[in-house]
Amino acid sequence: MERITGAEALMRALEHENVDVLFGYPGGSIMPTYDALYDHKKTLNHILVRHEQGAVHAAQGYARVSGKVGCAIVTSGPGATNTITGIADAMIDSTPIVVICGQVGVAMLGTDAFQEVDVVGVTSPITKWSYQIRRAEDVAWAVARAFYIAKSGRPGPVVLDFAKNAQTSMVDYQPAKADFIRSYEPDPDLNEDQIRQAAKMINDSVKPFVLVGQGVELGNAREELKAFLEKADLPCGTTFLGLSAIESDHRLNKGILGMHGNLGPNVMTNQCDLLIAVGMRFDDRVTGNLQTYARQAKIIHFDIDRSEFNKNVKVDLAVHGDCKKTLAAVTALLDQTTHTAWIDGFKPYEEKEYNKVIDKALHPKEGALLMGEVIRKVSEATNNEAILVTDVGQNQLFACRYFKFTKPRSIVTSGGLGTMGFAIPAAIGATFGAPHRTVCMFCGDGGMQMTIQELGTIMEQGAPVKMILLNNNYLGNVRQWQEMFFQRRYSFTPMVNPDYELIAKGYGIPAKTVVERKDLDAAIQEMLQTAGPYLLQCAIKEDDNVLPMTPPGANVNEMLLEC
Amino acid sequence: MEQENSIKLYTFIIYSENVPGLLSQITAVFTRRQVNIESLNVCASSTPGAHKYTITANCNLAMAKMLTAQIEKKIDVLQANFFTDEEIFINETCLLKISTPVMLENKNVCRMVRLHGAHIVEVNPIYATIEKTGITSDILSLYDSLKTLGCVLQFVRSGRICITKDFTEHLDEYLAEREKKRK
């Protein structure tokens, strides 16, 4: 056994967990660890971000596209508090990340020492596990446990608060393994009764409808889902985070659920006789008014997290377990059947939405550029194979509606928390998590400025993020709500913007602005053919609205197609 | 449905590993769902290494189920269950400080203490300390009686402790099952 410092032990433990990329920012209380990192640069590729929030979002982007645990490392105090938004985001979107924060030495804890914050206290409510490493002897154990907890069961963020004395003191290092915690059951046994009952309910159903959530991707259950849907001819809708759990053009994929989703899936939610939710959590943006949500239907809920059952929607049957196993087990008991008449029932709604909304969004004849047409053109230019990273707001809603997906793990968006400023750092992380794929990032002029400093990271790393700035000189989504629900009182939503093209160029990033529709195709091609990063700014119609829309609190089937 | 929605006092019994910081995580589950904790008792359990939390709170059945599931989700929580008063044996303790001059002056004070099966544990010229163990209503009955007599100087109640009426100890069964899965 070798005697090494706690900081060096951390490096070895991270290597033992097969960490290859770290997103971070140094500072006082984490300096011994950064000193150790200096000797591990070949194995642990440290990406220096420009703000700690960026480190966590980058770790999230990395985790989402790679299926591995993302890792961020920051200093104590403000370094740690700057990570809070990303940690909360990872918690609500079930993203496996480990955030390592420096902390003052144990002798100083609780004394209001310089850059001291009670990180475990602050992060406990927004992490799956939060732990303070006070002794070098605990490093190997804590790191193994952190990675095991982050990635197993329903994934989530873990924080390790690393006291400075634990970084500098010596320890006889031995790698640790964590694959069992007696108080934690990440892979529950299948319940045969639940499986049989689910199969019977589906076999008896005439009008079944499946809600597909991110759980399918997190559980690597894409193939199992497809077999499940195809055997019993079950139409489905997806959540935003579940968008790439099934190909966009699969005949059984009827579109997106929720407030800005597609008309068919939302209307049919209130017409089906059996609603089958898989790895989703009935978020209020999906359900609308719970009092009228799918009241006519029996409901089955597949989830690995028992606390999700009956949390928002009361279900008739809960199927607890890893959906890779539960879906396969239920599929084996399903009748091979068809639901042609029921599935054909989606068509009138698809046609209505196409004629009233989609055609206008994708094929405008005149006027300023629209977000929808830009997004669809970018998607098609990548053969619908790219990773979509979005910010939050209209850019996100339009991008989720009009980008198309053919590959797994292709959507990186802040779904639950709705974090503006998410896109740039998350896209950086995605380029490291999937280095051989094209990463297309859509952002508005509001969110762009929230983490614009990460252009520095893109510059330094040459991270090949294809940034499409949909600039309408407004905080567009808030403006839309002000138009619809606040009597057009545009309170602080017009944006006075800098010259983004000039800013990108200042960071050495090639950039172009498109104003005319006729220039769009060529500009997209130039962006995609340019090696490395690129900023394509599109001058977007100022007052466009994302439609259709279920107004907040309204019934899920009552979508507005115009306003 | 009526049972689902009717508010009643539930007793939550939670077993956890003995790790720091867990208490605030558990109480935060109640706070976040706007459920007020009526009493809370935490101590080592009869199972070595496991801590036991006994928490009472008023809520409906659906909320009790939800709270229990969210508490059990915490990594270091071993088990969480909830019970109605009919499903458990309950005990709590109270201490009352009463005025000695009033007690000597009014014979009903000592009568009430005897009637309620309480004990006088200390007497000095200024005050006497009374101790009573029982269910909540017994304790409140004693307090109300003495308060009416105008002698109460101080009154403190412990949190509730309880034991289930089951024949088996579920935690031990659970731990035995879990140990079988240890690789």
Side-chain angles (χ1 to χ4, degrees):
Chain A
M1 233 183 304
E2 205 182 339
R3 202 155 174 79
I4 56 176
T5 64
E8 175 63 21
L10 177 71
M11 298 300 115
R12 307 258 181 112
L14 293 175
E15 287 169 355
H16 187 68
E17 295 297 332
N18 296 316
V19 172
D20 52 5
V21 184
L22 291 164
F23 302 93
Y25 204 99
S29 291
I30 197 75
M31 281 183 70
T33 295
Y34 267 82
D35 188 61
L37 184 58
Y38 199 68
D39 294 328
H40 290 260
K41 284 193 286 192
K42 283 190 181 150
T43 46
L44 298 170
N45 183 17
H46 178 270
I47 310 303
L48 178 71
V49 293
R50 297 303 188 263
H51 184 282
E52 290 88 350
Q53 184 185 351
V56 185
H57 291 329
Q60 289 180 274
Y62 172 92
R64 290 267 197 100
V65 301
S66 69
K68 291 158 66 176
V69 178
C71 198
I73 183 161
V74 301
T75 192
S76 64
T81 55
N82 281 343
T83 66
I84 300 299
T85 302
I87 293 169
D89 196 291
M91 184 68 174
I92 199 163
D93 281 353
S94 311
T95 311
I97 58 168
V98 171
V99 178
I100 299 159
C101 308
Q103 179 58 282
V104 300
V106 292
M108 309 276 275
L109 282 172
T111 66
D112 299 324
F114 178 65
Q115 295 194 328
E116 186 204 354
V117 163
D118 176 10
V119 169
V120 171
V122 169
T123 59
S124 278
I126 51 166
T127 49
K128 203 171 161 189
W129 189 54
S130 191
Y131 184 75
Q132 189 170 63
I133 304 176
R134 299 187 189 126
R135 309 180 312 154
E137 289 81 356
D138 292 339
V139 171
W141 169 84
V143 171
R145 206 174 194 255
F147 278 79
Y148 173 60
I149 290 170
K151 70 188 171 200
S152 58
R154 179 178 177 176
V158 170
V159 165
L160 292 176
D161 191 31
F162 198 10
K164 200 166 183 179
N165 61 290
Q167 299 174 45
T168 52
S169 55
M170 303 299 283
V171 60
D172 293 324
Y173 176 75
Q174 201 166 24
K177 190 178 95 170
D179 55 13
F180 177 82
I181 297 171
R182 69 173 185 167
S183 58
Y184 171 60
E185 200 165 9
D187 187 12
D189 293 335
L190 293 199
N191 180 320
E192 293 298 334
D193 277 350
Q194 292 173 357
I195 301 292
R196 268 195 300 275
Q197 276 187 61
K200 182 172 185 323
M201 287 168 77
I202 297 168
N203 286 334
D204 289 347
S205 164
V206 179
K207 298 188 286 180
F209 184 47
V210 181
L211 314 178
V212 177
Q214 190 195 199
V216 172
E217 293 244 57
L218 293 172
N220 295 313
R222 240 172 151 249
E223 292 310 313
E224 287 76 6
L225 174 78
K226 214 187 279 184
F228 171 75
L229 298 176
E230 288 174 356
K231 186 169 182 189
D233 200 30
L234 308 168
C236 73
T238 71
T239 63
F240 277 174
L241 296 187
L243 271 172
S244 61
I246 180 168
E247 296 91 337
S248 306
D249 287 335
H250 191 286
R251 69 176 181 86
L252 292 169
N253 185 351
K254 297 297 161 195
I256 308 168
L257 303 163
M259 181 179 271
H260 288 288
N262 295 109
L263 184 60
N266 284 319
V267 172
M268 297 305 243
T269 295
N270 275 10
Q271 290 185 16
C272 66
D273 64 3
L274 180 66
L275 199 64
I276 307 154
V278 185
M280 57 85 73
R281 57 185 178 84
F282 293 105
D283 180 83
D284 56 275
R285 284 294 193 269
V286 162
T287 64
N289 181 6
L290 283 172
Q291 302 308 316
T292 59
Y293 182 78
R295 283 300 168 109
Q296 80 295 341
K298 296 265 188 213
I299 302 178
I300 306 177
H301 191 176
F302 290 75
D303 211 292
I304 200 163
D305 179 356
R306 198 169 68 86
S307 74
E308 286 299 339
F309 298 136
N310 300 307
K311 187 184 81 176
N312 295 335
V313 171
K314 195 163 165 44
V315 301
D316 298 280
L317 176 66
V319 182
H320 187 206
D322 179 349
C323 63
K324 192 173 180 70
K325 296 177 186 170
T326 53
L327 282 178
V330 170
T331 305
L333 302 178
L334 289 183
D335 298 335
Q336 186 103 38
T337 187
T338 54
H339 294 102
T340 311
W342 162 241
I343 292 172
D344 284 347
F346 283 80
K347 275 185 193 158
Y349 299 108
E350 284 166 6
E351 283 165 14
K352 190 174 178 187
E353 184 182 347
Y354 185 84
N355 293 330
K356 290 231 171 193
V357 179
I358 298 174
D359 189 35
K360 290 175 190 166
L362 297 184
H363 311 110
K365 304 282 182 290
E366 56 187 10
L369 286 172
L370 299 182
M371 291 193 191
E373 63 177 320
V374 176
I375 290 157
R376 179 58 64 84
K377 277 179 187 292
V378 172
S379 178
E380 285 174 347
T382 67
N383 205 21
N384 301 322
E385 290 178 353
I387 290 169
L388 168 68
V389 183
T390 81
D391 208 69
V392 166
Q394 286 188 325
N395 68 89
Q396 173 188 38
L397 305 169
F398 275 120
C400 288
R401 283 181 58 82
Y402 296 119
F403 209 80
K404 286 188 157 192
F405 303 91
T406 56
K407 305 267 186 203
R409 295 190 175 276
S410 298
I411 170 76
V412 183
T413 191
S414 170
L417 201 66
T419 305
M420 282 177 71
F422 176 81
I424 300 177
I428 295 170
T431 63
F432 286 94
H436 303 298
R437 297 186 63 190
T438 302
V439 175
C440 295
M441 182 214 94
F442 291 89
C443 191
D445 45 302
M448 182 90 186
Q449 290 193 81
M450 285 199 175
T451 49
I452 199 165
Q453 76 287 345
E454 299 307 332
L455 292 177
T457 312
I458 291 177
M459 169 186 71
E460 182 181 344
Q461 302 296 332
V465 182
K466 307 302 180 189
M467 295 174 278
I468 301 100
L469 169 60
L470 302 168
N471 188 345
N472 57 6
N473 288 316
Y474 266 104
L475 298 175
N477 205 35
V478 181
R479 191 213 60 79
Q480 175 173 343
W481 283 49
Q482 287 170 337
E483 178 186 329
M484 295 174 75
F485 313 119
F486 291 87
Q487 296 80 44
R488 297 173 193 265
R489 287 154 57 84
Y490 297 126
S491 181
F492 299 96
T493 44
M495 291 293 279
V496 176
N497 279 310
D499 182 340
Y500 288 106
E501 203 182 322
L502 197 60
I503 288 176
K505 285 179 177 164
Y507 280 102
I509 298 169
K512 181 169 259 183
T513 298
V514 175
V515 179
E516 301 287 335
R517 185 161 287 113
K518 64 180 172 48
D519 301 327
L520 184 59
D521 287 323
I524 290 171
Q525 284 307 322
E526 184 182 318
M527 172 182 77
L528 293 174
Q529 281 161 17
T530 303
Y534 194 98
L535 176 74
L536 176 62
Q537 175 176 227
C538 298
I540 298 290
K541 182 172 186 275
E542 285 196 342
D543 56 352
D544 197 14
N545 291 328
V546 190
L547 291 166
M549 179 180 192
T550 307
N555 302 333
V556 68
N557 56 337
E558 292 171 358
M559 294 196 90
L560 303 176
L561 290 169
E562 52 203 347
C563 60
Chain B
M1 201 63 189
E2 198 181 314
Q3 198 199 359
E4 285 268 315
N5 290 327
S6 65
I7 303 280
K8 62 164 81 172
L9 186 74
Y10 286 101
T11 301
F12 298 81
I13 300 183
I14 300 148
Y15 291 97
S16 80
E17 303 289 7
N18 181 14
V19 294
L22 205 53
L23 175 62
S24 65
Q25 287 186 50
I26 289 171
T27 56
V29 172
F30 288 84
T31 316
R32 222 182 141 197
R33 300 305 301 236
Q34 302 164 73
V35 175
N36 196 22
I37 289 174
E38 300 295 330
S39 77
L40 182 150
N41 182 289
V42 190
C43 61
S45 78
S46 55
T47 303
H51 257 51
K52 182 176 182 175
Y53 299 65
T54 307
I55 299 173
T56 59
N58 286 300
C59 61
N60 64 30
L61 181 61
M63 180 62 81
K65 287 179 184 171
M66 214 181 309
L67 292 169
T68 307
Q70 288 183 346
I71 291 166
E72 208 163 55
K73 190 172 156 179
K74 303 287 172 198
I75 298 291
D76 293 306
V77 170
L78 292 160
Q79 258 197 337
N81 288 296
F82 64 92
F83 302 89
T84 59
D85 282 1
E86 295 73 42
E87 296 166 324
I88 47 177
F89 292 110
I90 302 161
N91 234 331
E92 64 180 67
T93 293
C94 79
L95 294 172
L96 284 134
K97 193 187 276 184
I98 61 171
S99 157
T100 303
V102 178
M103 181 173 71
L104 295 174
E105 202 173 284
N106 187 343
K107 285 180 183 165
N108 281 332
V109 174
C110 280
R111 226 183 99 238
M112 279 302 161
V113 171
R114 280 199 302 279
L115 209 62
H116 281 88
H119 307 284
I120 298 177
V121 292
E122 187 196 355
V123 185
N124 63 39
I126 313 293
Y127 65 83
T129 304
I130 314 279
E131 180 250 321
K132 158 86 187 152
T133 299
I135 60 173
T136 313
S137 55
D138 293 345
I139 284 171
L140 291 178
S141 167
L142 170 67
Y143 170 69
D144 289 341
S145 307
L146 294 177
K147 199 177 168 206
T148 313
L149 298 172
C151 61
V152 177
L153 301 173
Q154 266 186 41
F155 172 56
V156 288
R157 282 165 62 192
S158 70
R160 168 181 286 197
I161 58 166
C162 65
I163 204 157
T164 63
K165 294 181 179 176
D166 280 345
F167 293 108
T168 51
E169 186 52 77
H170 290 293
L171 178 67
D172 292 339
E173 277 177 11
Y174 169 79
L175 291 177
E177 279 302 309
R178 290 295 297 147
E179 285 305 324
K180 284 185 201 161
K181 289 198 168 182
R182 192 184 284 275
K183 289 163 192 163

